[in-house]
Amino acid sequence: GAGCPGPPDSCTPPWVVVTNYIMLSIYTAEVSLRLYVYRMPFFRSKWNMLDFSIVTCGLLSIVLDDVEVIKRVNVLRLLRGARGISVP
């Protein structure tokens, strides 16, 4: 941010970080269960693919937190996945 010295992530309030971890944990469990139940047909749904991409990018951003370039690539992956969604 404008009034934030250092990298933008250093000024993120702790409650936002904790909430992010909680929500990512819930969505990871949900996608994992759906993947377990549906197996390969899971990947036939564009909505499932979008959810899978979002969770994967979230997990990658935590694992590779120090690599800023990876975060930008994750955003591009999300946009690429969202391109296939049609709105009626």
Side-chain angles (χ1 to χ4, degrees), residues 35-54:
L35 186 58
Y36 177 75
V37 169
Y38 293 116
R39 312 257 189 227
M40 289 310 292
F42 174 88
F43 294 104
R44 293 185 189 138
S45 167
K46 290 182 181 179
W47 289 111
N48 286 341
M49 288 301 299
L50 178 64
D51 290 345
F52 184 79
S53 298
I54 291 170

Side-chain angles (χ1 to χ4, degrees), residues 14-44:
W15 69 269
V16 172
V17 174
V18 171
T19 303
N20 185 39
Y21 287 142
I22 292 170
M23 298 301 289
L24 185 59
S25 299
I26 291 169
Y27 288 125
T28 300
E30 178 195 2
V31 168
S32 298
L33 286 172
R34 279 194 281 150
L35 186 58
Y36 177 75
V37 169
Y38 293 116
R39 312 257 189 227
M40 289 310 292
F42 174 88
F43 294 104
R44 293 185 189 138

